[in-house]
């Protein structure tokens, strides 16, 4: 649309017969979507999930045009999460002219792109590829899903085994504490009875008391380590379930 007011300077500069070589050498941009279309895509992205850059464009309504660099913000959002369906317009633009500044960093046109787009962080149950705890753990094929299911089930079994083990450890610790109380009787006000001290030094073997104390310390330390590992595995399972992938979720709750 060369008749637009904003294009007057360009039209005069690149009139027929101009000596400016760039007018002929620089190709025309193709597949550029309309401003309203890009604004709608930005609004859709920022409504589904707040991302860095959304605050730059303030929408009064879904159909309004914000006073911001819509194309720049749109490309920024899509470079951060290129797997979003709203980024199809940027893919079309950069396919036609990959040398554009706002196409830099878009995975499809980056060196070393292996044909696999980063996955989107969907906040609802889905069956799309999703990150499972780590960036390299993204099941896509049937075999990868089977291994993911198996590993998550194993983690769940181990975490429940730790819970059962900790109960046994607590029982052992309680047994040792009860054993120590036989050596050092405790009065109702939880103080050591004075009569027990002389009895301890004369009639009770100190070696057995020390051994019981050492066992209590051992069981307390063991229970602490088991509890820490148990909580760690539970949090890992929780984070895996937060991928909202249906298969991963059912693997966690199995």
């Amino acid at each position: 649309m060369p008749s637009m007011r904003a294009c007057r300077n360009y039209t005069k500069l690149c009139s027929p017969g101009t000596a400016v070589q760039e007018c002929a050498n620089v190709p025309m941009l193709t597949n550029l979507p309309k401003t309203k279309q890009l604004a709608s895509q930005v609004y859709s992205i920022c409504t589904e999930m707040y991302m860095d850059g959304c605050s730059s464009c303030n929408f009064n309504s879904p159909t309004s045009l914000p006073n911001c660099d819509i194309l720049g913000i749109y490309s920024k959002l899509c470079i951060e999460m290129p797997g979003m369906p709203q980024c199809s317009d940027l893919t079309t633009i950069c396919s036609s002219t990959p040398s554009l500044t706002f196409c830099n960093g878009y995975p499809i046109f980056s060196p070393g792109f292996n044909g696999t787009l980063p996955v989107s962080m969907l906040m609802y149950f889905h069956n799309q590829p999703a990150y499972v705890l780590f960036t390299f753990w993204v099941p896509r094929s049937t075999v990868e899903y089977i291994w993911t299911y198996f590993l998550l089930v194993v983690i769940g079994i181990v975490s429940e085994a730790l819970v059962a083990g900790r109960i046994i450890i607590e029982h052992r610790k309680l047994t040792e504490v009860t054993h120590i109380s036989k050596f050092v009787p405790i009065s109702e006000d939880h103080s050591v009875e004075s009569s027990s001290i002389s009895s301890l030094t004369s009639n009770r073997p100190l070696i057995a008391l020390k051994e019981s104390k050492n066992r209590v310390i051992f069981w307390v330390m063991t229970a602490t380590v088991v509890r820490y590992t148990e909580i760690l595995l539970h949090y890992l399972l929780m984070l895996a379930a937060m991928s909202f992938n249906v298969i991963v979720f059912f693997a966690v709750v199995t």
Side-chain angles (χ1 to χ4, degrees):
M1 299 180 66
S3 60
M4 291 190 299
R5 180 181 301 177
C7 298
R8 288 178 180 177
N9 292 333
Y10 177 83
T11 303
K12 291 179 180 180
L13 181 65
C14 295
S15 58
T18 181
V20 180
Q21 297 181 357
E22 283 75 8
C23 292
N25 297 335
V26 178
M28 182 185 302
L29 297 180
T30 59
N31 298 318
L32 283 177
K34 295 181 178 180
T35 303
K36 286 187 177 181
Q37 183 177 345
L38 289 183
S40 176
Q41 300 287 35
V42 171
Y43 179 84
S44 176
I45 294 173
C46 294
T47 301
E48 288 185 3
M49 182 187 307
Y50 184 85
M51 299 173 61
D52 185 23
C54 289
S55 58
S56 301
C57 295
N58 296 320
F59 290 87
N60 296 325
S61 67
T63 58
S64 64
L65 293 178
N67 185 19
C68 65
D69 179 11
I70 296 179
L71 181 57
I73 297 300
Y74 175 66
S75 64
K76 176 181 174 62
L77 297 176
C78 289
I79 287 174
E80 290 181 2
M81 294 185 64
M84 294 184 293
Q86 296 92 333
C87 295
S88 58
D89 288 330
L90 184 62
T91 301
T92 303
I93 298 171
C94 295
S95 297
S96 303
T97 316
S99 59
L100 293 175
T101 302
F102 53 79
C103 292
N104 293 335
Y106 200 52
I108 296 177
F109 308 102
S110 298
F113 177 65
N114 59 3
T116 303
L117 283 173
V119 299
S120 302
M121 294 182 294
L122 304 178
M123 296 293 106
Y124 51 85
F125 285 110
H126 59 87
N127 59 354
Q128 303 297 321
Y131 293 114
V132 182
L133 301 179
F134 306 100
T135 55
F136 59 83
W137 192 352
V138 184
R140 299 178 186 272
S141 64
T142 303
V143 175
E144 290 175 345
Y145 271 113
I146 292 175
W147 276 108
T148 297
Y149 195 98
F150 175 77
L151 289 176
L152 291 176
V153 169
V154 169
I155 292 176
I157 293 174
V158 172
S159 64
E160 292 303 316
L162 289 175
V163 173
R166 183 168 55 83
I167 295 175
I168 296 174
I169 293 173
E170 293 290 345
H171 178 73
R172 294 286 184 86
K173 182 185 69 174
L174 181 61
T175 301
E176 293 298 335
V177 171
T178 303
H179 185 63
I180 291 176
S181 65
K182 295 179 180 179
F183 289 93
V184 185
I186 306 298
S187 62
E188 293 182 356
D189 60 353
H190 302 287
S191 61
V192 178
E193 296 180 0
S194 58
S195 60
S196 66
I197 299 178
S198 58
S199 175
L200 179 63
T201 56
S202 58
N203 300 326
R204 302 292 184 180
L206 291 176
I207 296 178
L209 178 60
K210 290 180 179 179
E211 290 179 351
S212 295
K213 286 183 176 180
N214 291 337
R215 283 194 291 268
V216 169
I217 294 174
F218 170 78
W219 289 124
V220 169
M221 294 179 63
T222 304
T224 302
V225 173
V226 171
R227 179 60 173 168
Y228 176 84
T229 308
E230 171 193 332
I231 294 175
L232 176 64
L233 294 181
H234 284 167
Y235 271 110
L236 289 177
L237 291 173
M238 179 193 71
L239 293 174
M242 289 176 64
S243 68
F244 286 95
N245 182 282
V246 175
I247 297 177
V248 173
F249 179 80
F250 278 104
V252 171
V253 300
T254 298

